[in-house]
């Protein structure tokens, strides 16, 4: 094949690729689509989990528990014991300073 024929073949192959793929400005469209779809799935899962958590808080409330206190307990359980103890010590100190 001559250089001219080779150039024509390469140009034809390039046009065929461009026709098969939309102009994406150098972005890997398949990779981007995959990432976006994965994020969308996780967002849906997060919403479902949030709805489940909301239902459990409603259950706690209907069972007579103070939801505000339950939330505080959950927040405390996420912390390190030393951090909780330090906060409780400061809270007690501040209460005594205010005569509470």
């Amino acid at each position: 094949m001559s250089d001219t024929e080779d150039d024509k073949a390469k140009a034809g192959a390039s046009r065929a690729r461009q026709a098969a793929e939309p102009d994406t400005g150098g972005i890997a469209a398949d990779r981007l689509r995959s990432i976006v779809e994965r994020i969308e799935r996780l967002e849906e899962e997060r919403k479902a989990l949030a709805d489940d958590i909301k239902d459990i808080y409603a259950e706690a409330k209907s069972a007579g528990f103070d939801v505000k206190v339950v939330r505080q307990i959950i927040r405390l359980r996420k912390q390190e014991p030393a951090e909780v103890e330090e906060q409780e010590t400061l809270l007690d100190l501040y209460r005594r300073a205010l005569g509470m």
Side-chain angles (χ1 to χ4, degrees):
M1 204 184 274
S2 70
D3 286 340
T4 306
E5 289 174 359
D6 191 36
D7 290 339
K8 286 180 183 178
K10 286 180 184 176
S14 177
R15 281 192 301 274
R17 275 196 308 275
Q18 288 175 352
E21 297 177 9
D23 183 20
T24 58
I27 295 174
D30 290 339
R31 175 77 174 165
L32 178 60
R33 184 176 297 105
S34 170
I35 289 169
V36 169
E37 289 171 353
R38 287 170 38 212
I39 291 170
E40 288 172 340
R41 271 194 306 279
L42 290 172
E43 291 286 347
E44 289 173 10
E45 288 177 27
R46 179 170 40 187
K47 184 184 179 321
L49 288 172
D51 290 343
D52 290 347
I53 291 169
K54 183 179 172 185
D55 291 344
I56 294 170
Y57 279 119
E59 178 184 338
K61 184 175 182 177
S62 69
F65 295 106
D66 186 324
V67 173
K68 202 179 209 180
V69 175
V70 172
R71 289 182 191 275
Q72 286 178 328
I73 288 173
I74 291 170
R75 188 171 48 251
L76 288 172
R77 288 172 54 110
K78 291 179 184 177
Q79 296 176 350
E80 294 294 321
E83 189 178 343
V84 173
E85 185 177 343
E86 180 182 349
Q87 287 178 0
E88 288 175 350
T89 300
L90 284 173
L91 181 61
D92 186 50
L93 177 66
Y94 292 176
R95 282 182 176 162
R96 282 188 281 131
L98 296 172
M100 296 173 68

